[in-house]
Amino acid sequence: MIYWHLFLAFFIPNIVGYGGGPAIIPLIENEVVGRYGWMSSQAFAETLALGNALPSPIATKMAGYIGYDVAGIAGALIATFATVAPSLLLMLIALGTLYRYRDSIKVKSMSQWVRPVVMTLMAYLTWRFLDEGVTTAGAVHTAIIGGVAAVLILATRVHPAFVVCFGLVYGALLLG
């Protein structure tokens, strides 16, 4: 029964919540602290703080930790699955619908209009990162990192993960 409760405690907030991980944290807290009493409000706040200190989505980290704390490895797997299941289901439904109507002129038109929007959002994000880099690290360091990254990715086809590691090492050695 504990596994079912774990599943429900993380599935329900993720299926009814809107706005991603930070927006559903109060819903998860209501389930974990209020309904099931698996931890105190203080312990939940500490788990949230720890989760925010680590990379990756907050809801899945918290689900894994709380699930493990409540029911071991199986609990962690169930809680994490329950967290991603709503998005997975909606993506499968959306992709199935798009695939079924892929030859429709409306679907083709829709995808043609989405591309410029995505490109604009990515350009805006790139501009904000560039602006923040110049503000925090300086124009010279930003130009060096950006130039070396461009050469590594475009000319030598180095995997982007290694380029990110280069940036981290550069920042640690020369900016830290």
Side-chain angles (χ1 to χ4, degrees):
M1 195 64 148
I2 190 72
Y3 298 125
W4 178 245
H5 288 161
L6 267 171
F7 181 82
L8 291 177
F10 288 94
F11 184 80
I12 291 171
N14 281 283
I15 200 78
V16 300
Y18 179 77
I24 63 165
I25 296 300
L27 299 173
I28 294 172
E29 181 181 18
N30 182 61
E31 297 292 314
V32 170
V33 176
R35 176 173 290 173
Y36 296 108
W38 290 324
M39 57 179 39
S40 66
S41 292
Q42 179 64 31
F44 187 86
E46 290 170 0
T47 303
L48 179 61
L50 177 64
N52 276 322
L54 300 171
S56 77
I58 185 69
T60 53
K61 289 181 288 194
M62 292 190 70
Y65 177 80
I66 294 168
Y68 182 80
D69 192 44
V70 171
I73 293 174
L77 293 172
I78 290 168
T80 304
F81 174 73
T83 300
V84 300
S87 298
L88 178 66
L89 292 173
L90 289 173
M91 284 296 294
L92 290 174
I93 291 168
L95 287 174
T97 303
L98 284 174
Y99 185 74
R100 185 177 311 121
Y101 299 107
R102 70 184 177 274
D103 295 327
S104 164
I105 191 70
K106 290 182 181 181
V107 170
K108 288 180 181 179
S109 298
M110 180 181 68
S111 65
Q112 291 297 323
W113 283 97
V114 168
R115 287 183 190 141
V117 172
V118 171
M119 181 198 69
T120 303
L121 291 172
M122 293 303 292
Y124 175 70
L125 181 64
T126 302
W127 177 257
R128 287 195 44 207
F129 278 153
L130 178 64
D131 184 49
E132 185 177 335
V134 170
T135 302
T136 58
V140 173
H141 290 296
T142 302
I144 291 170
I145 292 171
V148 170
V151 168
L152 289 174
I153 289 175
L154 298 174
T156 63
R157 305 259 186 223
V158 171
H159 192 281
F162 294 120
V163 177
V164 169
C165 289
F166 157 75
L168 289 172
V169 169
Y170 181 94
L173 294 177
L174 298 176
L175 299 175

